[in-house]
Amino acid sequence: MGGGHAADPVALPLTRSRGERADAARNRAHLIDVARRMVAELGVDKVTMDGLAERAGLGKGTVFRRFHTRAGIFFALFDEEEQRFQQRVMSGPPPLGPGAPAVERLVAFGRARLEFLAEHTALARAAFDPGRPNLVGDSPSLFHVQMLLSEACPDVAASGTLAVQLVAALEGPVLLYLQAPDDAPGPAPLIGTLADSWQVLVERVCDGGHTPGRSQ
Amino acid sequence: MGGGHAADPVALPLTRSRGERADAARNRAHLIDVARRMVAELGVDKVTMDGLAERAGLGKGTVFRRFHTRAGIFFALFDEEEQRFQQRVMSGPPPLGPGAPAVERLVAFGRARLEFLAEHTALARAAFDPGRPNLVGDSPSLFHVQMLLSEACPDVAASGTLAVQLVAALEGPVLLYLQAPDDAPGPAPLIGTLADSWQVLVERVCDGGHTPGRSQ
DNA sequence: TACATAAGCGGACTGTACCCCGCTTTGTCG
DNA sequence: CGACAAAGCGGGGTACAGTCCGCTTATGTA
């Protein structure tokens, strides 16, 4: 192949940016759209790759090319919500957004995050791909908690592991231990209780429980 | 065989639960045995239900009857290790075992648990069944942390959610965010760092950070 | 020991995630 | 404008988790 008049030894493998082709982008958007509709209509675990492909009028191979795995679809869906959430965190009103002391922001972040996860539990769990780098590994949540923690108590935040553990304390219960949203009589009060515990956790970690008679 | 000179006056309640037939128990033990060998030999994700059934010389239906799901097999394997671990916690030497102050026991528990999980990451992750009650929902770990927390700071432990969050902080990073055991050059130092952070977490939560003790 | 009964067993069957490779479309360069 | 590569597409193929139902075997009773 190509033995003829090869003027260029290398055909510029970097000719243009690795941007995806126009039709590919269109298909991706369409797939996400159809997927969201199917999730709303059938529920997460009734959405199959075949069904999605058929209903989108595309081949199965195309679906996998875009999203790599079944979880990948739900991750894409979840990620859209995640970005909306991030928006509120980064440029919304305090104390969730900037403009409040770090500890207050951490507390507010936890509460908001719990509500967010409670609202999107099904998606978040479906987006979880066992045996993979992972969901929260490079999540904006981790980054944000790490930042606020560094501001609130730099000594303890240095290693970075504490932030990971705090994020795990926040997300783990909802992602791992809670059951389906309509399992218990009321999920809302449980979320509220988790938020309260989170507040205790954060406040005690950050200022050591307000030691009397001794300033820090 | 048997009927004639059976020396068992009473069925042993520990070895045979009511209703499980002798052959069933034998098969369960055999399956677990074969499964462990296969995990050691092929790695967790190369173990299939068909393969296990065939290599055990049993039908596939039998395997599913015993363990319900693929994760169930790894859960059974993991559970055996878990029970050995529990033994150390409940009747081993302090500070992991009884005989030390609650906070010290919590710290020791965290460190031991992290090492334990690091050693059995593959099994633990494989035992995780997405869309199920769950792994840690009624785990001995949760029970134990809840108990020690109630002893160390009853005010804060009352709701029970804080214990859940602490367990999540402990187990989440290893189960969710860490990668394969041989991914990073050294998993051991990371576990050590996590253990240090855990200590900070527990000590600050329990006595609000006015610990006059040593920092190592 | 022979019988009745229920627990256990096997393996064919189904549904679905994911792979593969030849064909089509898109974008670029002469 | 025409042709060439590469990126994208399609859908049949594969492997595996989990189900079903008729047959087998253990166990209590006469």
Side-chain angles (χ1 to χ4, degrees):
Chain A
M1 44 175 74
H5 72 304
D8 301 10
V10 174
L12 298 177
L14 301 174
T15 44
R16 207 59 178 171
S17 69
R18 309 285 290 208
E20 68 183 351
R21 244 162 59 172
D23 54 346
R26 202 178 323 123
N27 282 340
R28 143 134 64 221
H30 183 220
L31 280 170
I32 286 185
D33 193 47
V34 172
R36 189 189 314 287
R37 229 185 298 278
M38 287 183 77
V39 166
E41 183 178 326
L42 307 170
V44 163
D45 42 31
K46 283 294 180 60
V47 175
T48 75
M49 301 304 256
D50 289 327
L52 174 58
E54 185 177 6
R55 188 149 156 185
L58 295 169
K60 219 189 320 187
T62 307
V63 179
F64 277 97
R65 165 174 290 264
R66 287 299 120 211
F67 301 104
H68 216 218
T69 158
R70 178 186 145 91
I73 288 175
F74 301 113
F75 183 82
L77 259 43
F78 181 76
D79 201 49
E80 288 193 347
E81 308 294 331
E82 176 89 311
Q83 278 174 23
R84 246 196 297 280
F85 180 75
Q86 271 303 302
Q87 208 71 10
R88 286 204 291 148
V89 170
M90 293 199 303
S91 56
L96 182 56
V103 175
E104 275 182 46
R105 287 194 74 191
L106 270 174
V107 170
F109 175 80
R111 196 170 291 270
R113 186 69 181 169
L114 284 168
E115 285 165 6
F116 173 78
L117 285 180
E119 193 177 354
H120 300 102
T121 310
L123 263 191
R125 293 185 74 140
F128 176 78
D129 189 353
R132 266 291 177 187
N134 232 307
L135 186 63
V136 192
D138 54 357
S139 80
S141 287
L142 178 57
F143 180 78
H144 192 243
V145 168
Q146 175 70 55
M147 188 195 72
L148 291 177
L149 201 61
S150 299
E151 194 182 329
C153 36
D155 53 329
V156 145
S159 72
T161 50
L162 190 58
V164 174
Q165 286 170 323
L166 285 177
V167 171
L170 197 53
E171 306 195 334
V174 181
L175 262 33
L176 262 48
Y177 314 143
L178 248 49
Q179 186 58 311
D182 45 56
D183 184 21
L190 179 50
I191 293 297
T193 313
L194 282 168
D196 291 346
S197 295
W198 167 258
Q199 179 163 2
V200 170
L201 204 57
V202 166
E203 287 178 349
R204 294 215 175 180
V205 164
C206 284
D207 57 44
H210 191 266
T211 49
R214 204 176 182 186
S215 8
Q216 190 162 330
Chain B
M1 49 161 67
H5 62 294
D8 303 322
V10 175
L12 299 175
L14 280 180
T15 42
R16 281 197 16 207
S17 59
R18 295 145 293 286
E20 185 171 51
R21 247 162 55 171
D23 54 346
R26 203 178 320 124
N27 281 339
R28 144 139 58 222
H30 183 219
L31 279 170
I32 286 185
D33 192 46
V34 172
R36 190 189 313 287
R37 229 185 297 278
M38 287 183 77
V39 166
E41 184 177 327
L42 307 171
V44 162
D45 41 31
K46 283 295 182 56
V47 175
T48 75
M49 300 304 257
D50 289 312
L52 174 57
E54 185 177 6
R55 189 150 156 184
L58 296 169
K60 202 176 7 171
T62 306
V63 178
F64 277 97
R65 165 173 291 264
R66 288 299 123 211
F67 300 105
H68 282 111
T69 160
R70 180 187 142 91
I73 288 175
F74 302 113
F75 183 82
L77 258 41
F78 181 76
D79 200 50
E80 287 192 348
E81 309 294 331
E82 177 89 311
Q83 278 174 22
R84 246 195 297 281
F85 179 75
Q86 271 302 302
Q87 208 71 11
R88 285 203 291 148
V89 170
M90 293 200 302
S91 56
L96 183 56
V103 175
E104 274 183 46
R105 286 196 75 190
L106 270 174
V107 170
F109 176 80
R111 197 170 290 270
R113 186 71 181 168
L114 284 168
E115 284 165 7
F116 173 78
L117 285 179
E119 193 176 354
H120 300 104
T121 310
L123 264 191
R125 292 183 76 140
F128 175 78
D129 189 352
R132 266 292 177 187
N134 232 306
L135 184 64
V136 190
D138 54 355
S139 80
S141 287
L142 178 57
F143 180 78
H144 192 241
V145 167
Q146 176 70 56
M147 187 194 74
L148 291 177
L149 201 62
S150 299
E151 193 181 331
C153 37
D155 53 329
V156 146
S159 71
T161 49
L162 190 58
V164 174
Q165 287 170 323
L166 284 177
V167 171
L170 197 52
E171 305 195 334
V174 180
L175 262 34
L176 262 49
Y177 314 144
L178 246 50
Q179 186 58 309
D182 46 55
D183 183 21
L190 179 49
I191 293 298
T193 313
L194 282 167
D196 291 345
S197 297
W198 167 259
Q199 179 164 2
V200 169
L201 204 57
V202 166
E203 287 178 349
R204 295 214 176 180
V205 164
C206 284
D207 56 43
H210 101 322
T211 328
R214 58 246 176 184
S215 55
Q216 163 79 26

